Amino acid sequence: MSVESMGLRESKKQETRLLISDHATRLFLEQGFEQTTIAEIATAARVAKKTVTNYFPRKEDLAFDHHEQFTASLAAAVAGRAEGESPLAALRREFTAALDARNPVAGFAGPDFARMVAESPTLTARLRDLHDQREEALAVALADTANLADATETPSIAPRAAAALLGAAHRLLFRRIQELTLAGRSNDVIATTLAPEAAHVFDLLESALGDFPTAAA
């Protein structure tokens, strides 16, 4: 198969995935997540049920289509930080950028989507799981950064402890965005409200973490 053919095939797969996701989201918002079936989604997207499950093994993944980006986001910020920048500073900078961009990964998903998640026990549980996965990925990134083999005074649990603090902070800020969204606040108002609140949260982390594990890239 030629490179061009492979490219066209991959493009077609992405189009199909997006088509299924778009129809699923529409049905979830109209009918509720729990009430919508895979068969209904397949019918709306004009594909077989097996095609839906091939692209989305879990029904929840149809709602959280960007879950891989979400779970990797904190670890990616740490891994991609600037030379001399601490992990905490990188995460603070990334969250500020997410506020400015009204990024859905930070929690800007709109009132309809936020309400759908809040009203679904399945989606609420899945969101908790995704937060846990994001924290675990962050712990791995911090451990790689810390190089604990050369840090004789740093306990081996330190990266996980730091990830727990940072994960909890981001979970809190995510929930705060959702809370304000459900209260009817606009994205602009939410971002304005969150800016000083996030600064307070990161200031608290600063006193606890400083430049742990290192400011060196």
Side-chain angles (χ1 to χ4, degrees), residues 163-178:
L165 292 173
L166 291 162
H170 281 82
R171 192 180 307 227
L172 171 64
L173 294 171
F174 186 98
R175 287 177 177 171
R176 180 65 170 141
I177 292 173
Q178 295 289 286

Side-chain angles (χ1 to χ4, degrees), residues 5 9 36 43 78 106 108 131 137-139 162 175 189-191 200 212 215:
S5 295
R9 183 177 180 181
T36 301
T43 298
V78 169
F108 290 95
H131 278 293
L138 176 59
R175 287 177 177 171
V189 169
I190 293 171
H200 175 73
F212 175 84

Side-chain angles (χ1 to χ4, degrees), residues 184-199:
R185 305 294 190 274
S186 69
N187 283 348
D188 289 345
V189 169
I190 293 171
T192 300
T193 302
L194 259 290
E197 294 183 351

Side-chain angles (χ1 to χ4, degrees), residues 51-138:
T51 301
V52 175
T53 55
N54 281 342
Y55 280 94
F56 300 93
R58 300 177 59 155
K59 182 181 173 184
E60 300 95 306
D61 292 341
L62 285 157
F64 297 121
D65 190 22
H66 300 290
H67 65 278
E68 293 177 350
Q69 180 186 356
F70 178 83
T71 56
S73 59
L74 302 186
V78 169
R81 71 194 190 285
E83 183 177 356
E85 185 178 34
S86 72
L88 176 57
L91 289 168
R92 184 172 194 154
R93 173 175 51 76
E94 286 292 323
F95 186 80
T96 299
L99 276 186
D100 292 341
R102 316 301 193 252
N103 194 328
V105 173
F108 290 95
D112 293 337
F113 190 88
R115 189 173 302 108
M116 177 187 73
V117 174
E119 293 176 351
S120 168
T122 303
L123 291 180
T124 299
R126 178 59 173 159
L127 183 56
R128 285 197 299 267
D129 181 51
L130 292 176
H131 278 293
D132 289 343
Q133 290 181 35
R134 184 167 69 160
E135 181 182 314
E136 291 167 7
L138 176 59

Side-chain angles (χ1 to χ4, degrees), residues 196-214:
E197 294 183 351
H200 175 73
V201 170
F202 282 107
D203 285 346
L204 293 176
L205 290 172
E206 190 75 43
S207 63
L209 297 174
D211 64 353
F212 175 84
T214 176

